[in-house]
Amino acid sequence: MVYDRAQAVPRKAVTPAQLAALEKAQEVRKQNEQRRREEEAAEVEREEAQWQAWLDEQAEEGRRVLREIVLRGTWLSLDTETTDKDENAEIIEVALVSPIGEVLFESLVRPLGPVSEGARAVHGITDEELSGAPSWPEVYAQLVSLLEGRELVAWNAAFDCRVLRRSSALHGLAFPELTWHCAMTWGAPIWGEYSEYHGDFRWVSLDEACWSEGVCLDARHHRAAGDGCRLSALMNAVAQAATQKGNLS
């Protein structure tokens, strides 16, 4: 359609009142947008604070449990080295360490099968070293006599418990039912980050946990007695830190 410009009606000039109303509307819109951004930021801040509070609660619960184990004083730290890390693993070294870091028992164990290359790369124990070691039944008799009335603390307790039972079963023995505590599991909320993917806290190594707690012990890494001593020192460090925090609060 073609319009005749001569017939066009000029647009009326905007009045001061209309300009004022427009400016007011723009100001209100800006204020509403600013308020919305502030409310969103405040909500994010509240959610982050709630999340951090939950993380702190989980860490405190882990510290509380480990501290209570230490205070009961009936625990021993236990560590093993094995032929492998799978379900067919056998014990080749075991150690018990007291709450004050004294090695109560330590022994190599001659397994029925060979040590895998992967396991040997970790602990360095060879088949040749084990050829003259006592068999599991010999070690079992000495070890079990020290466990009556004790709680056992281990780093990855499920694995240690499993290999103790398997090595016993291979020789027709039954490892006694005991109370186990996994310092790695209870320590995950203390030293590990939360994984959204797994919906849980990441397990950390004994090395990482000791470093986080300031535990520096001259003990052999990835050997039963050395790791048992480091675990004992870590347990005590956690208990001491929790006690000091309680006294200060």
Side-chain angles (χ1 to χ4, degrees), residues 93-96 103-108 139 146 220 223-226:
E93 188 176 46
V94 61
L96 283 176
V103 178
L104 301 178
F105 182 79
E106 176 186 14
S107 179
L108 290 173
V139 174
L146 299 172
R220 295 180 69 182
R223 292 299 297 262

Side-chain angles (χ1 to χ4, degrees), residues 6 66 76 83 86 94 125 127 135 160 164 168 176 195 219 226 235:
L66 296 181
L76 298 173
T83 57
D86 60 17
V94 61
I125 303 173
D127 293 318
S135 66
D160 288 309
L164 284 166
S168 298
S195 167
M235 292 286 290

Side-chain angles (χ1 to χ4, degrees), residues 36-109:
R36 182 184 64 79
R37 288 196 295 265
E38 290 174 353
E39 289 174 351
E40 289 178 351
E43 179 61 24
V44 169
E45 188 174 340
R46 282 194 297 271
E47 290 177 354
E48 290 178 347
Q50 291 172 352
W51 177 245
Q52 187 58 53
W54 183 80
L55 293 176
D56 292 342
E57 288 175 2
Q58 300 306 301
E60 286 303 312
E61 175 65 8
R63 290 185 179 277
R64 182 191 64 80
V65 170
L66 296 181
R67 177 175 179 269
E68 289 182 354
I69 295 170
V70 171
L71 292 180
R72 283 197 295 272
T74 59
W75 60 284
L76 298 173
S77 63
L78 179 145
D79 193 70
T80 64
E81 300 301 333
T82 58
T83 57
D84 213 328
K85 291 297 181 181
D86 60 17
E87 65 277 3
N88 296 318
E90 294 180 64
I91 292 176
I92 58 173
E93 188 176 46
V94 61
L96 283 176
V97 179
S98 77
I100 61 172
E102 177 188 1
V103 178
L104 301 178
F105 182 79
E106 176 186 14
S107 179
L108 290 173
V109 181

